[in-house]
Amino acid sequence: MARNGVSFITGAQLLSLRRRPNIAVIDVRDEERSYDGHIPGSLHFASDSFSDKISDLIQTVKQKDTLVFHCALSQVRGPTCARRLASYLEEVKEDVGIKDILVLERGFNGWESSGRPVCRCTDIPCKAHNL
């Protein structure tokens, strides 16, 4: 489902794709990631510095063709960062292998309230297995 130029994926859909090695989950929450936990295996690129770190993100997700962004509710920060990356990729016109940029519907809060796995490690990056 697309809203504001961004396609959304449900938590159930993301869980069903979790075994695929080509997916990266990008958490763009700011400091709340440190105390609320996170989706296991997700990468952290805080929204407040996201634009400055886009090239780092692209390097980090080499070998991935699907990126799933989220923030707490995926209403503002998640979709905004997803659109920023999409715009950046259009501007540089370089094929970095990213085919799908999605946003997790209901964000981390929806993920956690549905009883899906949450990791509370402080490792950067999270070494837990994806999802």
Side-chain angles (χ1 to χ4, degrees), residues 3 6-9 14 25-34 36-39 42-48 50 67-84 102-113 118:
R3 293 193 295 267
V6 174
S7 293
F8 282 76
I9 182 173
L14 181 55
V25 177
I26 315 298
D27 183 342
V28 298
R29 291 173 300 155
D30 300 305
E31 70 285 346
E32 71 264 39
R33 176 182 167 102
S34 63
D36 282 349
H38 51 273
I39 295 174
S42 63
L43 302 169
H44 187 226
F45 284 84
S47 64
D48 58 5
F50 184 79
L67 305 187
V68 179
F69 283 79
H70 78 84
C71 56
L73 300 171
S74 289
Q75 293 178 348
V76 178
R77 293 174 293 177
T80 299
C81 291
R83 278 194 295 273
R84 273 192 201 137
L102 307 168
V103 176
L104 176 63
E105 206 168 82
R106 299 179 57 228
F108 176 79
N109 294 4
W111 175 270
E112 184 178 37
S113 69
V118 171

Side-chain angles (χ1 to χ4, degrees), residues 9-20 23-25 38-42 68 70 104 111 116-119 126 128-131:
I9 182 173
T10 66
Q13 289 169 319
L14 181 55
L15 265 180
S16 73
L17 298 175
R18 72 183 184 273
R19 302 260 184 272
R20 289 179 37 199
I23 291 180
V25 177
H38 51 273
I39 295 174
S42 63
V68 179
H70 78 84
L104 176 63
W111 175 270
R116 297 193 174 100
V118 171
C119 181
C126 173
H129 295 291
N130 280 345
L131 313 182

